[in-house]
Amino acid sequence: NAGVTQTPKFRILKIGQSMTLQCTQDMNHNYMYWYRQDPGMGLKLIYYSVGAGITDKGEVPNGYNVSRSTTEDFPLRLELAAPSQTSVYFCASRPDMSAIQYFGAGTRLSVL
Amino acid sequence: QKEVEQDPGPLSVPEGAIVSLNCTYSNSAFQYFMWYRQYSRKGPELLMYTYSSGNKEDGRFTAQVDKSSKYISLFIRDSQPSDSATYLCATLKETSYDKVIFGPGTSLSVIP
């Protein structure tokens, strides 16, 4: 039971570099989410998707982009990384008609 | 006012103590209430889930929702060192399945 898989687990970027955080789920969930978690700040929604081909902005979308070409994959793209993007990033998915989200193990990103 | 508020702690208790974790929320339209547990360097995982008001018990854990005061509680009986984690409350509107609102989390340490 893989569930939600995120790669990489850790990454250090230099200011101005770009990268893609990968997220894949094997539960056939239509809904997928990207959050960032900063110390003491809880989870902030970056982007979400209600199905393949459909994405929408969350609370803190600036500096990020997403795509959803398949049900399984929901990559998060960071363009021109900035120190403010240093955080732990979590991907989550949930089935239709359910409030319960299933989270990946997270990606720890440092931008120096 | 934040939609969901939670005392961040940290909360430290001796093993065997009864723990009470609390959240308040601002929107009376919220109908689904959840508690997630997050161990250090891991993703959140669902612990308890309730719909509307009332209590729900699962082993040593009891979730309580008081919609009249917009108050959510999680009680842990006979607390164990393995309960040491951050606990996040979360809520969702019945008519909007898109976004779950998370509290910032309370850090709990159970001391042997």
Side-chain angles (χ1 to χ4, degrees), chain B residues 8-58:
Chain B
L11 181 62
S12 183
V13 301
E15 183 175 354
I18 297 174
V19 177
S20 173
L21 303 170
N22 307 295
C23 285
T24 58
Y25 64 94
S26 59
N27 192 329
S28 58
F30 291 140
Q31 294 282 359
Y32 295 88
F33 304 94
M34 294 154 281
W35 284 95
Y36 282 81
R37 178 175 61 195
Q38 185 177 19
Y39 290 115
S40 180
R41 297 184 174 267
K42 300 288 186 184
E45 56 179 352
L46 183 74
L47 184 63
M48 298 285 286
Y49 169 76
T50 56
Y51 173 74
S52 196
S53 281
N55 293 356
K56 185 173 184 179
E57 189 172 321
D58 184 2

Side-chain angles (χ1 to χ4, degrees), chain A residues 62-105:
Chain A
N62 291 343
Y64 307 94
N65 278 300
V66 294
S67 59
R68 184 95 182 271
S69 57
T70 67
T71 299
E72 295 77 20
D73 299 308
F74 190 38
L76 177 72
R77 178 82 178 162
L78 278 71
E79 304 282 0
L80 298 174
S84 61
Q85 294 178 306
T86 295
S87 189
V88 182
Y89 292 85
F90 289 103
C91 178
S93 72
R94 69 168 177 83
D96 295 1
M97 306 304 290
S98 171
I100 301 170
Q101 295 191 8
Y102 299 84
F103 284 82

Side-chain angles (χ1 to χ4, degrees), chain A residues 7-85:
Chain A
T7 57
K9 289 187 175 14
F10 306 95
R11 184 72 184 267
I12 298 175
L13 282 182
K14 293 182 179 179
I15 295 171
Q17 285 185 322
S18 300
M19 77 164 293
T20 299
L21 282 66
Q22 301 291 345
C23 176
T24 188
Q25 51 94 4
D26 62 359
M27 297 174 283
N28 201 34
H29 291 168
N30 282 320
Y31 291 80
M32 294 189 75
Y33 306 82
W34 274 106
Y35 295 92
R36 59 178 288 172
Q37 187 177 41
D38 301 309
M41 300 298 289
L43 292 164
K44 292 190 176 180
L45 182 64
I46 305 171
Y47 271 95
Y48 68 101
S49 171
V50 301
I54 306 169
T55 63
D56 205 352
K57 296 177 180 179
E59 185 183 356
V60 288
N62 291 343
Y64 307 94
N65 278 300
V66 294
S67 59
R68 184 95 182 271
S69 57
T70 67
T71 299
E72 295 77 20
D73 299 308
F74 190 38
L76 177 72
R77 178 82 178 162
L78 278 71
E79 304 282 0
L80 298 174
S84 61
Q85 294 178 306

